[in-house]
Amino acid sequence: MISRKLCKFAPQQVITILFFATVKEKEILSNIKAKLGIESLNEMQLEMTRSINERGDLVLLSPTGSGKTLAFIIPLLKELHEPGGRLQAVIIAPSRELVIQIFGIVRNIATGHKVSCCYGGHSVADERQSLAVVPSIIVSTPGRLLDHVNRGHIDITGTRLLVLDEFDKSLELGFHDEMKRVLRHMPNLSRRYLTSATMIDEFPDFLRLHRERIINFLAEKRELDSRLTVQCVRSDAKDKLEAALSLLRSIEPGRTIVFANHRESAERIHGFLTGHGVSAGLYHGGLDQQEREMAVTLFDNGTNLVLVTTDLGSRGLDIADVTSIIHYHLPGSREIYTHRNGRTARVSANGNVYVLLGPTEKVPEYITFDNDFILSRATEQPARLQSDVASIYFNAGKKEKISRGDIVGFIANNGGITAQEIGQISLHDHYAIVAVPRAGCNAVVARLAPLKIKNKRVRITPLG
């Protein structure tokens, strides 16, 4: 997902640099302003941009939510040559969701350059067609990139620029062998960008880092921590389902992410909450790609107020205005705790973190509490756990030549609601999801279902 708040705005750091920029910088910054609504860069992003004037690879350490994506995209785009039917840069991220997020941002601001996106669960045929005309930039998970290389769909040997986003995850045991094989196909790299919110003990030799410079903004985490309120929530029972529901009923309304350690647990929590009237979605690695995309979309557009997820959701989900994080299970490490909490208090917002503790659980040393949160004993179901937004599903998308404008016109002209009542439109390759007022959702679907959009018969169904 693309956030319109990728930079944090502190008055002493807001620096307008268009006047001093080169022609290419002006074009990039103009696109960022026009497409993302961002007028100024923070100090970390400026430091990364300045650093490309030096030789050597760049390692950026910065807290989650601080704008690392733009921090590497801007210097990367400055280093690109003119488009010319050759692959110049590869951006690798460890999760599908992070790949999709980065791709959306790069595609918006890389004027004149073709950008392709590759990840598991996406149509191989669609990706192969996209790669048939060689892009300037590929954004991919390591496994899918290696698959396309092995199939002969793309040649990455001439690539000059490589980005490893969330390198602490990309280089861990599960990805290590894939990354090693990918790097064997990239002998001509002139610059590597590595970014993460957490450092690793040692970089593997196969990266062939050269005169690497570490740009460390992790001290900014103190400022982030000051915007987080961490509270201890004690459950009388080992099974914390009732405590989780009571907590959701007690806290201030807003988007909330509930983290569990296992898929089965996430499914159980989700089933319990939805059974008690909570507008909640489910997100974990056992779901297929469309199910995962839809879970994120329904949370982002307000159809679901709660997202229950495994630690898959601790990286790559850039959803604005998440007000609360609930650790249903204790995180397995300091790094996991950091990344979970990074889903809230993004940019300059505040956030609340709630740690559910069973009667025998011990608090890890890396978790410190600001206070205890006393659960309400009330049993009534507040309306705030039920969203007033619903969604409509269209089984046609970009590949069927359907645009957002087509959908707005179709609904406004035939659905009985105005264009102003239509919420977020999420357009994917082969489907679209549209947010509408919950009260009229079924009536809108009933009016639209018999009709054609752009002379195409499309299945239209309600969601949420």
Side-chain angles (χ1 to χ4, degrees), residues 339-355:
H339 285 283
R340 285 182 179 183
N341 292 348
R343 298 312 99 197
T344 189
R346 298 179 75 79
V347 194
S348 57
N350 295 322
N352 296 296
V353 174
Y354 302 92
V355 180

Side-chain angles (χ1 to χ4, degrees), residues 96 262-264 267 282-289 291-292 310 312:
R96 304 171 184 181
H262 309 287
R263 296 176 185 176
E264 296 78 7
E267 290 175 352
L282 177 66
Y283 181 82
H284 62 64
L287 304 174
D288 67 33
Q289 183 60 30
E291 290 173 324
R292 287 160 64 168
T310 59
L312 179 69

Side-chain angles (χ1 to χ4, degrees), residues 17 61 72 76 93 132 139 192 195 198 204-205 213 227-228 244 247 251 278 298 325 340-341 349 367 377 382 414 419:
I17 59 175
L61 301 173
F72 69 73
L76 181 80
V139 188
R192 298 155 188 81
T195 74
T198 52
D205 291 339
R213 179 190 173 196
R227 294 186 279 108
L228 284 177
L247 176 60
I251 62 179
V278 180
L298 295 180
I325 298 297
R340 285 182 179 183
N341 292 348
I367 298 179
R377 300 297 179 183
N414 303 289

Side-chain angles (χ1 to χ4, degrees), residues 128-410:
R128 182 179 183 179
Q129 183 178 9
S130 175
L131 296 173
V133 177
V134 179
S136 295
I137 306 169
I138 291 177
V139 188
S140 183
T141 52
R144 181 52 69 92
L145 178 62
L146 192 60
D147 183 53
H148 282 298
V149 170
N150 291 337
R151 291 170 184 252
H153 297 165
I154 190 70
D155 180 2
I156 63 174
T157 57
T159 306
R160 298 185 303 108
L161 306 169
L162 171 67
V163 175
L164 288 186
D165 196 23
E166 303 279 15
F167 67 77
D168 61 320
K169 182 73 173 177
S170 296
L171 298 174
E172 70 178 15
L173 190 60
F175 291 98
H176 187 276
D177 290 343
E178 285 182 337
M179 286 303 308
K180 188 174 184 178
R181 291 197 294 271
V182 167
L183 267 293
R184 285 175 184 164
H185 292 278
M186 306 175 77
N188 296 305
L189 293 174
S190 60
R191 174 97 72 178
R192 298 155 188 81
Y193 297 86
L194 281 69
T195 74
S196 181
T198 52
M199 190 50 160
I200 59 176
D201 294 333
E202 186 178 7
F203 290 110
D205 291 339
F206 63 75
L207 284 178
R208 304 189 304 278
L209 293 181
H210 174 65
R211 297 177 61 178
E212 64 272 21
R213 179 190 173 196
I214 296 177
I215 301 174
N216 192 341
F217 274 78
L218 288 181
E220 299 291 319
K221 188 177 182 299
R222 289 193 296 270
E223 190 270 337
L224 169 64
D225 289 344
S226 72
R227 294 186 279 108
L228 284 177
T229 302
V230 183
Q231 304 188 63
C232 177
V233 185
R234 299 190 181 277
S235 170
D236 295 334
K238 184 177 179 181
D239 186 329
K240 296 183 265 189
L241 289 174
E242 291 288 350
L245 179 60
S246 179
L247 176 60
L248 286 168
R249 288 172 171 170
S250 303
I251 62 179
E252 290 299 313
R255 288 181 179 149
T256 300
I257 300 179
V258 179
F259 282 102
N261 287 349
H262 309 287
R263 296 176 185 176
E264 296 78 7
S265 300
E267 290 175 352
R268 183 165 172 265
I269 297 164
H270 174 259
F272 180 82
L273 294 180
T274 54
H276 284 77
V278 180
S279 296
L282 177 66
Y283 181 82
H284 62 64
L287 304 174
D288 67 33
Q289 183 60 30
Q290 182 167 323
E291 290 173 324
R292 287 160 64 168
E293 290 173 351
M294 289 175 63
V296 173
T297 297
L298 295 180
F299 186 53
D300 192 39
N301 74 10
T303 298
N304 289 327
L305 302 179
V306 176
L307 184 67
V308 183
T309 180
T310 59
D311 285 316
L312 179 69
S314 66
R315 299 174 186 254
L317 296 186
D318 190 12
I319 296 173
D321 304 322
V322 173
T323 58
S324 299
I325 298 297
I326 297 176
H327 298 270
Y328 184 91
H329 290 139
L330 290 172
S333 69
R334 182 190 300 273
E335 289 73 25
I336 292 173
Y337 182 64
T338 296
H339 285 283
R340 285 182 179 183
N341 292 348
R343 298 312 99 197
T344 189
R346 298 179 75 79
V347 194
S348 57
N350 295 322
N352 296 296
V353 174
Y354 302 92
V355 180
L356 276 174
L357 279 181
T360 61
E361 288 185 302
K362 295 183 179 180
V363 183
E365 54 84 18
Y366 52 81
I367 298 179
T368 57
F369 297 115
D370 295 302
N371 53 59
D372 289 339
F373 186 92
I374 307 303
L375 290 174
S376 168
R377 300 297 179 183
T379 57
E380 68 273 10
Q381 175 65 61
R384 64 172 175 257
L385 294 182
Q386 300 162 355
S387 174
D388 59 2
V389 175
S391 289
I392 298 174
Y393 175 87
F394 289 71
N395 75 328
K398 290 180 286 188
K399 297 295 184 182
E400 288 74 36
K401 309 300 183 184
I402 301 294
S403 70
R404 288 180 175 83
D406 295 330
I407 291 172
V408 170
F410 179 64

